[in-house]
Amino acid sequence: MKRNLSALKKALQFGISGAVGGFVGNLITEPFMQRLNNPQSVFDSVFSTARWFGLVGGGIATAIMFGYYYYIKGKPQIKQALKNGGLFGLIAGAISGAIAEGIYSGIGDGNNELLRVICWGIAGSLLGLGLAQRIPNLGALRGTGGGGVGGVLGGCLFILFAYNLSGTAGRLAGCAAIGFWIGIMLVVAETLFNKAWLVISYDTGANRTLTLGSEPITFGSDENLSIICIPNVSPLAMRFQLEAGQIVCENLESGAVSYLRSGDQKKIGNCTITVGNSDLPAATSAQVPASIISPKSAPNSFTTSQFSLKLASRVIPLSAGTQLFTSDIPSLTAAASNGLVAIVTSRSRNELSLGLTNLCDRAWWVTDIQGDIKMIEPETTLTLALGTQIEFGEIDGEIV
């Protein structure tokens, strides 16, 4: 739910930014529109359209990059938006405008509105492709597809406005519509077809969603080093990346590297990062190796417990065969239908070494008495030791 709401907010922010950019870009070109409307030749028409949509494309790209930076950083980044959006948007817009006008003028008869819409789709595709090089992990395919669909939808509205409004008003509204739908559809394509993502939840209640891919998503207090700026942490504290289908998290302070599953969370500064992965299959009880489960039942194990699990004010004795259910740790979800989320196993014949096997559908974060942090994935076992702290999602436990 958080991801969907955050993606909706992101799409609207990109759409509104694109609309403003398209409006302003066309506003700048209005003094040149007389020549565009009265071309002397096909070359003149192509050149004029390239100049026109170059400025419109530059405006749309700059505005969408402005919306992107505002979305991830929470404050205006005008200089960065101009640097990473203005020039390439101008070039991409000019090229796409020239191609579209060349097709329209060379094939069409000047009244083929379907061909005009297709040309807007081509222009949107090239602009989306350019934006994909600037927005981390958007991807060329999603950028091209989203921009193309946005260009088609915006182009339909452009024609509608052109027929029902005066020349200048129609172009202003039409270019705003094109920018709006390109911005919207870039986020829609990104959300529908991404394989992994991060939902960033701030203590203030705000949420943001970022796509994971080959390009790292970095967190830290230095804006020049980090994509997401978090106050009161290290300049570059944490990095997430998708490698070979696995979500990798690197703690840049300790050097610890962990592999995350869908639903795993990390806390850094004033935000909680939740991992999502659409391709990750849920673990099942049949996948748990039988050899790690003690053959002895709880009544035949220790009569006095060597360890206990402290959960807030509750203390649960742990001995070989002890089973923990969702009723014991409500923040966990069992992988199997029996509600079993963990079991205590004997790791040696004399039962002097015990382990806690993870049978839920998500990983646990464990901090030992030396302060080292590691992840216990489903189907793996944690060796019990006094002082070990375990994050069971929203509930914290300690081995005592």
Side-chain angles (χ1 to χ4, degrees):
M1 180 62 72
K2 284 184 178 180
R3 180 202 178 201
N4 293 336
L5 290 175
S6 181
L8 177 61
K9 177 183 176 182
K10 184 178 182 180
L12 289 174
Q13 197 159 318
F14 276 42
I16 293 171
S17 297
V20 172
F23 182 93
V24 172
N26 187 81
L27 189 64
I28 296 173
T29 65
E30 277 303 309
F32 312 109
M33 293 309 297
Q34 183 176 1
R35 183 176 179 182
L36 178 63
N37 293 329
N38 298 285
Q40 302 300 314
S41 64
V42 172
F43 176 81
D44 190 39
S45 178
V46 169
F47 178 78
S48 298
T49 301
R51 181 177 56 189
W52 170 52
F53 200 70
L55 290 171
V56 172
I60 291 174
T62 300
I64 288 178
M65 289 306 301
F66 177 88
Y68 168 74
Y69 288 124
Y70 190 82
Y71 177 78
I72 64 172
K73 297 183 181 295
K75 59 182 180 180
Q77 300 278 312
I78 299 175
K79 183 178 179 180
Q80 285 292 100
L82 285 169
K83 177 182 177 181
N84 293 315
L87 181 59
F88 98 84
L90 181 69
I91 296 172
I95 293 173
S96 62
I99 292 174
E101 182 61 29
I103 293 173
Y104 186 72
S105 299
I107 301 177
D109 57 3
N111 296 305
N112 190 329
E113 301 301 352
L114 176 60
L115 184 58
R116 188 193 295 267
V117 169
I118 293 173
C119 290
W120 280 120
I122 295 172
S125 295
L126 292 180
L127 197 58
L129 177 62
L131 283 166
Q133 311 307 312
R134 297 295 188 272
I135 299 177
N137 299 316
L138 172 59
L141 187 60
R142 290 192 292 263
T144 302
V149 174
V152 168
L153 294 174
C156 291
L157 288 176
F158 185 96
I159 294 171
L160 179 64
F161 292 142
Y163 276 109
N164 291 278
L165 298 174
S166 65
T168 299
R171 285 189 295 271
L172 289 171
C175 288
I178 290 170
F180 177 81
W181 281 110
I182 288 176
I184 288 281
M185 293 311 299
L186 286 175
V187 179
V188 170
E190 178 188 48
T191 304
L192 288 179
F193 300 106
N194 61 358
K195 294 184 177 180
W197 58 88
L198 301 177
V199 177
I200 306 162
S201 303
Y202 292 86
D203 293 344
T204 59
N207 294 296
R208 294 186 176 95
T209 301
L210 292 180
T211 294
L212 273 178
S214 58
E215 187 169 347
I217 302 296
T218 52
F219 294 77
S221 58
D222 191 329
E223 291 187 357
N224 296 319
L225 298 175
S226 305
I227 292 177
I228 302 295
C229 189
I230 306 294
N232 304 319
V233 299
S234 298
L236 188 58
M238 198 171 292
R239 178 166 55 205
F240 292 81
Q241 193 171 4
L242 187 65
E243 294 181 353
Q246 291 186 307
I247 301 171
V248 182
C249 172
E250 182 179 0
N251 188 319
L252 297 173
E253 293 181 281
S254 65
V257 177
S258 54
Y259 296 87
L260 308 183
R261 293 172 61 92
S262 185
D264 286 344
Q265 293 183 329
K266 296 287 287 182
K267 178 74 175 179
I268 175 171
N270 64 345
C271 72
T272 300
I273 305 163
T274 305
V275 172
N277 187 341
S278 60
D279 288 344
L280 187 66
T284 64
S285 59
Q287 295 173 310
V288 181
S291 60
I292 66 173
I293 299 179
S294 172
K296 296 188 176 183
S297 61
N300 294 328
S301 300
F302 287 113
T303 55
T304 58
S305 176
Q306 183 181 358
F307 298 103
S308 296
L309 175 63
K310 183 179 180 182
L311 299 169
S313 58
R314 184 184 179 194
V315 177
I316 303 174
L318 302 178
S319 57
T322 298
Q323 297 180 344
L324 301 177
F325 295 86
T326 53
S327 57
D328 299 309
I329 312 176
S331 61
L332 298 181
T333 301
S337 59
N338 58 7
L340 187 64
V341 295
I343 187 170
V344 179
T345 61
S346 174
R347 299 175 65 84
S348 65
R349 291 184 178 275
N350 58 13
E351 296 187 347
L352 293 178
S353 177
L354 297 178
L356 187 63
T357 300
N358 183 352
L359 298 180
C360 71
D361 64 352
R362 61 180 297 170
W364 307 333
W365 286 102
V366 174
T367 306
D368 63 23
I369 196 169
Q370 284 81 30
D372 294 330
I373 302 174
K374 63 180 179 179
M375 182 177 64
I376 304 299
E377 295 192 20
E379 309 171 26
T380 59
T381 301
L382 165 69
T383 301
L384 297 183
L386 294 175
T388 301
Q389 298 180 348
I390 311 173
E391 286 186 28
F392 299 113
E394 298 175 354
I395 296 178
D396 294 333
E398 182 180 0
I399 303 300
V400 295

